[in-house]
Amino acid sequence: MDKIIPSRLRWACRRGMLELDLLLTNFLEEAFLTLSAQDRALFNQLLEANDQDLFLWLTGKEISKNQSLNIIIEKIRHHAENRH
């Protein structure tokens, strides 16, 4: 898993909303392999959330009650804001 992205993660990043697809897939392709093992585990945990919660968290409209998830959420948001 250190060099390649598992196909199950690519599939899990495909969501019901284009906005989520873009945020998650771009992060997966461009930043995931640089994450620590702990952050990779958080990303996997985040992907278990429903689309509505993910959208609210990743757009900053709400904050997750799970403080650990907020770490990876912030990394995804930061990546999206600074990728260009």
Side-chain angles (χ1 to χ4, degrees), residues 4-79:
I4 59 172
I5 298 169
S7 58
R8 66 174 177 73
L9 279 180
R10 290 182 201 281
W11 182 255
C13 287
R14 295 185 58 183
R15 310 305 284 217
M17 290 186 212
L18 177 60
E19 296 88 345
L20 290 178
D21 287 357
L22 293 173
L23 285 168
L24 295 171
T25 302
N26 288 339
F27 183 79
L28 180 70
E29 297 290 335
E30 299 167 6
F32 181 78
L33 293 176
T34 66
L35 296 176
S36 67
Q38 181 179 3
D39 285 345
R40 288 182 186 190
L42 288 172
F43 186 75
N44 278 294
Q45 185 180 350
L46 181 69
L47 293 177
E48 295 174 12
N50 67 55
D51 287 358
Q52 292 79 16
D53 288 337
L54 279 175
F55 182 77
L56 293 172
W57 299 337
L58 292 174
T59 58
K61 295 181 187 331
E62 287 186 11
I63 298 172
S64 171
K65 293 177 185 170
N66 182 331
Q67 292 300 316
S68 296
L69 285 183
N70 288 327
I71 294 167
I72 195 68
I73 290 166
E74 186 54 38
K75 289 182 183 205
I76 295 168
R77 292 181 72 220
H78 183 281
H79 177 265

